[in-house]
Structure formats: C-alpha cells, structure tokens
C-alpha cells in the first residue's frame, strides 16, 4: 500500500536558520503531494501542494518540489521564524489506491524555532 | 460561520460506554473523513465517505461505526469504548477525491478511562 516517510523530529532551529524536512513516498499510481501544518491546539491546514513531477508548491516562504525520480517532496524554507513552530505533515493522494480519494499521511515532524 | 466543526472538543468517558463524535461541514463537500492522531503514528484513516449513504473503511476501522445520511454530517460512534481509543480525532472534508485539499476540523480529544 501507499506510505509516506518523513524525517524524524523534533527539529529545533534558531530564528532565520534554513529549514529542510525530508519526505519520501511510495505509491501505486501517480499521486498528488501535500504539506500540511498543524499549529498548537488546531487542526491541520494545507501549506502547499504539487500535482505532477517537477511542480513546485510554495506558500508563506515554504517550498517543495515534486521529484518523481527520487519519490521525494522535501519541504524547505530559507529563514524560519518563531511563528513557524508547528507540526508539519507530508501527505499524498493516490488515484491508484484502492481507496482512491483518501490521503495518506506521514508521522509528522515537530519544528520549534527559538528566538 | 462556514467551515467544518466538531463536537465535543473534549470528552472523558469510561471503558465500555458508547461515544459519538459529531462532524458538520457547511461547504457541501462530497468527501468526508475521520482520522485519529496518535503520537508516533501520525494520522490514520478510520472511515471515509464519498457521498451521502456511501461509506468505506480506512486503515483502522475496528471498534468504530459511521453514518452519512446527510451530506453535511458525518458522525463517528465508538460502540464500546476501549482505552486504546484514547486519541485526538479529526474530521475532514474535501470537494474532490483524488488530489483534493483536505479541510480539517479543530479535533476532538477523547480520553477513555
């Protein structure tokens, strides 16, 4: 079945540091890829997405590029802020899945940014 | 207000009791989902629904029951709660199936004593 593997956390960075959170996936079909963010006490919300190979999703200074050859979708940000402290989830939606329509999530990576 | 709302936000119950978590969305999205979030497991799909009166099992359906008589509501029932069902439960909806963005509720934190 489909799976998403994320870099283990927690990750602690100083403000203005560079962020990378690795994400790789396995899928039956040609999936769409997502990054969701969960702020403390809240539900998840979409951060960015990409639907085909070499697409780059971007939002709020975060970027991720759909790499089909390496089955990866790593999240990056050039300069993190304290307000970026949250849990980040990589996810996929696979048309080849027998339960097409659902999304599969990674375990989440907790990011803490210190002033 | 438009959106997706879950109730109750917090619930403490005892082993063996029946518990229902409610989920309501105002967008008329076709797809609705229930996930549970546990440390070390990320989000795991319990049940999902592609439309009213259509539901299907996800990854961890045992011990749970769902119904979808109306498009906007998707309640999740724990028929006889167990301690292993202590978790945070998230309801989500999506306008489309594959490739669609999920919109999440704020979660329901359930503790089973």
């Amino acid at each position: 079945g489909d799976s998403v593997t994320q870099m283990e956390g927690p990750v602690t960075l100083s403000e203005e540091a560079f962020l990378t959170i690795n994400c790789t996936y396995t899928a039956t079909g040609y999936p769409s890829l997502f990054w969701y963010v969960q702020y403390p006490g809240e539900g998840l919300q979409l951060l960015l997405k990409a639907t085909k190979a070499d697409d780059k999703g971007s939002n709020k200074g975060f970027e991720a590029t759909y790499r089909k050859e390496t089955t990866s979708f790593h999240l990056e940000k050039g300069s993190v802020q304290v307000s970026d402290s949250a849990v980040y989830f990589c996810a996929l939606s696979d048309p080849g899945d027998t339960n097409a329509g659902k999304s599969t999530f990674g375990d989440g990576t907790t990011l803490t940014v210190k002033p | 207000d438009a959106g997706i709302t879950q109730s109750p936000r917090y619930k403490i119950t005892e082993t063996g009791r029946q518990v229902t978590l409610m989920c309501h969305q105002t967008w008329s999205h076709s797809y609705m989902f229930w996930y549970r979030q546990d440390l070390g497991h990320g989000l795991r799909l319990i049940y999902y629904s592609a439309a009213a009166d259509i539901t299907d099992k996800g990854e961890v359906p045992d011990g749970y029951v769902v119904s979808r008589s109306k498009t906007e509501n998707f309640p999740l029932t724990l028929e006889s709660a167990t301690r292993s069902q202590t978790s945070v439960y998230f309801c989500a909806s999506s306008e489309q199936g594959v490739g669609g963005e999920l919109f999440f509720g704020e979660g329901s934190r359930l503790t089973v004593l």
Side-chain angles (χ1 to χ4, degrees), chain B residues 3-31:
Chain B
I4 182 165
T5 55
Q6 294 183 231
S7 62
R9 293 289 313 279
Y10 303 91
K11 176 75 176 179
I12 299 174
T13 191
E14 295 178 337
T15 301
R17 290 192 180 268
Q18 183 179 81
V19 176
T20 296
L21 306 179
M22 304 300 292
C23 180
H24 176 79
Q25 53 107 351
T26 61
W27 294 300
S28 299
H29 285 170
S30 293
Y31 288 82

Side-chain angles (χ1 to χ4, degrees), chain A residues 4-8 19-24 35 72-76 90 109:
Chain A
V4 175
T5 302
Q6 279 183 241
M7 166 178 157
E8 285 191 22
L19 169 70
T20 300
I21 300 177
N22 290 337
C23 172
T24 58
W35 277 101
S72 65
F73 193 54
H74 305 321
L75 182 67
E76 297 183 334
C90 186
T109 301

Side-chain angles (χ1 to χ4, degrees), chain A residues 4-76:
Chain A
V4 175
T5 302
Q6 279 183 241
M7 166 178 157
E8 285 191 22
V11 175
T12 302
L13 296 174
S14 297
E15 208 164 22
E16 299 184 2
F18 184 85
L19 169 70
T20 300
I21 300 177
N22 290 337
C23 172
T24 58
Y25 67 88
T26 59
T28 306
Y30 195 144
S32 295
L33 303 176
F34 306 82
W35 277 101
Y36 287 86
V37 59
Q38 183 182 28
Y39 298 104
E42 298 182 8
L44 284 72
Q45 56 186 274
L46 181 68
L47 181 59
L48 53 85
K49 68 180 279 189
T51 58
K52 61 183 188 295
D54 300 323
D55 268 1
K56 178 185 284 187
S58 61
N59 186 24
K60 300 181 181 180
F62 290 89
E63 293 183 339
T65 301
Y66 191 142
R67 299 292 187 198
K68 197 169 191 303
E69 65 275 14
T70 56
T71 61
S72 65
F73 193 54
H74 305 321
L75 182 67
E76 297 183 334

Side-chain angles (χ1 to χ4, degrees), chain B residues 24-100:
Chain B
H24 176 79
Q25 53 107 351
T26 61
W27 294 300
S28 299
H29 285 170
S30 293
Y31 288 82
M32 295 189 75
F33 308 83
W34 274 107
Y35 286 88
R36 60 178 289 175
Q37 183 179 26
D38 304 289
L39 199 62
H41 291 281
L43 272 78
R44 292 181 292 175
L45 182 66
I46 304 171
Y47 268 96
Y48 72 107
S49 169
D53 297 322
I54 300 174
T55 62
D56 210 344
K57 296 178 180 179
E59 184 184 353
V60 289
D62 293 343
Y64 302 95
V65 174
V66 294
S67 62
R68 186 116 181 257
S69 57
K70 292 184 177 181
T71 299
E72 60 266 31
N73 297 325
F74 192 40
L76 176 73
T77 298
L78 289 67
E79 294 185 299
S80 178
T82 65
R83 289 192 180 133
S84 65
Q85 292 178 310
T86 293
S87 185
V88 180
Y89 292 85
F90 286 100
C91 180
S93 71
S94 177
E95 188 173 22
Q96 65 183 91
V98 176

